[in-house]
Amino acid sequence: MEKILVVDDERDIQALFEQRFRKEIKNGELEFVFAFSGEEAITYMKDHDQEAVLILSDINMPGMSGLELLRRIKEKYEVPPPLVMMITAYGDTENYSLAMQLGADDFLTKPVDFTALKEKLKAKLV
Amino acid sequence: MPLSFAPLVVSLVLADKIRKYARVNSLQQWEKPLKYALVFSVFLISTEAVLSAYSITKWIWHVYLIAMIAFSLKQKELRTLRMFVLAFVPFEIVSLITDLAEVINVDFFSANETYFKNAMSLTYIWMVAILFSQNRQFKVAEKERIKRQQEDELNKAIAIRKVELEGLVAERTAELTLQKEELELTLDELRSTQSQLIQAEKMASLGELTAGIAHEIQNPLNFVNNFSEVSKELLDEMMAELDKGNSNDAKEIASDIIQNLEKINHHGKRADAIVKGMLQHSRSSSGQKEPTDVNALADEFLRLAYHGLRAKDKSFNATLKTDLDANIGIIKVIPQDIGRVILNLLTNAFYAVNEKKKLNIAGYEPLVSIRTKRQENKVEIDVSDNGNGIPQKVIDKIFQPFFTTKPTGEGTGLGLSLSYDIIVKGHSGELRVETHEGEGTVFHIKLPINA
């Protein structure tokens, strides 16, 4: 089972994803793991080598920012690097171009449209 | 042929003296008669000389002199001249008696002519002595009079000057009153301008916050929307399970819904608290000290200020460090005011690190930190940054109103001035700055706990 790592400093994001993707989780279509900071995400990646194939990360987090996390992931995991989708509340071009420059595979703006996200996840993981 | 020289001289001296006296004492009505008297004396002596009528005119002289003497003695206005007039009385009496004796009894007169002559001499001596002493007295009196006159003139001049001065004083008083009224008006205007400026500064700092607040509210609102949408889906599922008769599954879903509702409530309250904080900031201060959690205040404004700046300048990033002393507890301060001070210091700190970041110094990591510390009987709040520091030449001016290093339109120049007033005047505390050029700045706030 390929896993999706969700990184966000808001803890309730876990409950939200688990409910939003309730059917998919139940049916075994998707599996989620959660990290609440960039540092935690890095640790998880180390401990579970290449386990996560898709990372959904918030950009604005205290400590290591989402962009820094993106940079490290894309640097370290060369073949094949996991897909990384960035999420931000600041829907600005600078963050977007920086994320793209660092190799982000997609860029989402809060509030997240879960129906659209569902389609994207299914499309990318198939 | 004898001539009446003595009577002539007496009449002239007497008339002249009275005339002078009259002039000095402003007795104009005497001027004319005395002039006539002088003319008459000259006329009489001339007649006497031309007609050789001594034997007749000497009687006219007697009548004339007696009349003049009597008249002079009788006038009240001439009282001061009485002694002077008396100088001539013996002369007139003796000369009259001499003349009468000569006419009535020539033998007797001849026999006693020496006596008559001696008597006449005595009257001359008398006359000279009296006139001499009178002259001296008159001189003294004249000096007195001149002195008095000068004094009068001086007093008059003083009186005139006094009136002038009073006029001047009244004029100046009126001017000053007008000026005072104008100044009071200006002061009122300044006061209202000042309160407007304070309000403007507050609004400016609220502007700094708006974006941060929007960002802070967005997250809880997203959760509220998401959890309520998910809950609706769950309810549909629950109904389906109930229709199928799977009450256990239905119960499981119901407990999830309950959890979601709790989360909705939690995030709703979160947004509510942020809006309340914002309102509290924009509301004019109640001026009342309230028990306040200074750590919460510091943390809240740190996040708001950071997001405020990020919203304006997307590329901006800084590390935030908080070191909050849990022992501070609740202290009594005016929360809106202290919040404003912390916000102002943080906004300045972010501005400073952002300016330094623009210089693209290799390895520079912007850092803004806020530290609270409980001391014996005071609380310390330090706001520090690792920006460029404050140049020595402006350090003395930073607490002055309207002093700003920011470009026009970006700063009101009132932030630190108001902060100083709030801490020092409003809370009897201290606000100090410690700065090292190129290294950074620390603002130290000290608040007494029992103030």
Side-chain angles (χ1 to χ4, degrees), chain A residues 54-71:
Chain A
L54 195 145
I55 296 165
L56 257 173
S57 175
D58 189 15
I59 288 182
N60 186 247
M61 290 183 292
M64 187 191 295
S65 79
L67 292 173
E68 175 66 15
L69 177 66
L70 170 66
R71 193 181 61 78

Side-chain angles (χ1 to χ4, degrees), chain B residues 119-181:
Chain B
M120 264 328 270
S121 301
L122 280 173
T123 69
Y124 285 126
I125 291 165
W126 166 264
M127 201 191 295
V128 169
I130 293 292
L131 286 181
F132 184 71
S133 86
Q134 276 297 296
N135 194 36
R136 272 177 57 183
Q137 277 183 26
F138 275 123
K139 273 186 183 158
V140 172
E142 184 63 9
K143 261 189 203 159
E144 261 313 286
R145 195 187 59 77
I146 287 168
K147 205 173 139 194
R148 249 204 324 276
Q149 201 180 350
Q150 281 172 346
E151 271 172 12
D152 280 356
E153 274 164 17
L154 198 67
N155 283 342
K156 241 182 241 167
I158 287 171
I160 289 166
R161 190 83 191 117
K162 197 180 151 202
V163 171
E164 278 174 16
L165 283 175
E166 270 169 5
L168 268 178
V169 168
E171 207 174 291
R172 291 308 296 274
T173 310
E175 266 174 39
L176 285 175
T177 313
L178 203 73
Q179 277 178 356
K180 186 183 147 251
E181 278 163 11

Side-chain angles (χ1 to χ4, degrees), chain A residues 10 12-13 15-16 19-20 22-23 26 59-60 65 89-90 92 94-95 110-112 114, chain B residues 215 218-219 222-223 226-227 229-230 233-234 237 253 256 260 263 267 270 307 310 314-315:
Chain A
E10 293 271 4
D12 275 348
I13 210 85
L16 184 64
Q19 289 187 23
R20 281 289 192 184
R22 191 181 171 80
K23 275 180 199 157
K26 219 176 181 180
I59 288 182
N60 186 247
S65 79
Y90 301 110
D92 56 281
E94 268 178 71
N95 265 335
K110 283 185 184 177
V112 176
F114 278 92
Chain B
H215 176 262
Q218 193 61 54
N219 275 339
N222 286 343
F223 279 117
N226 277 315
F227 279 117
E229 275 171 36
V230 166
E233 285 170 19
L234 288 178
E237 270 181 50
I253 295 172
D256 278 352
N260 284 359
K263 287 192 190 304
H267 288 287
R270 216 177 119 190
H307 290 304
R310 279 218 48 167
K314 305 283 166 41
S315 65

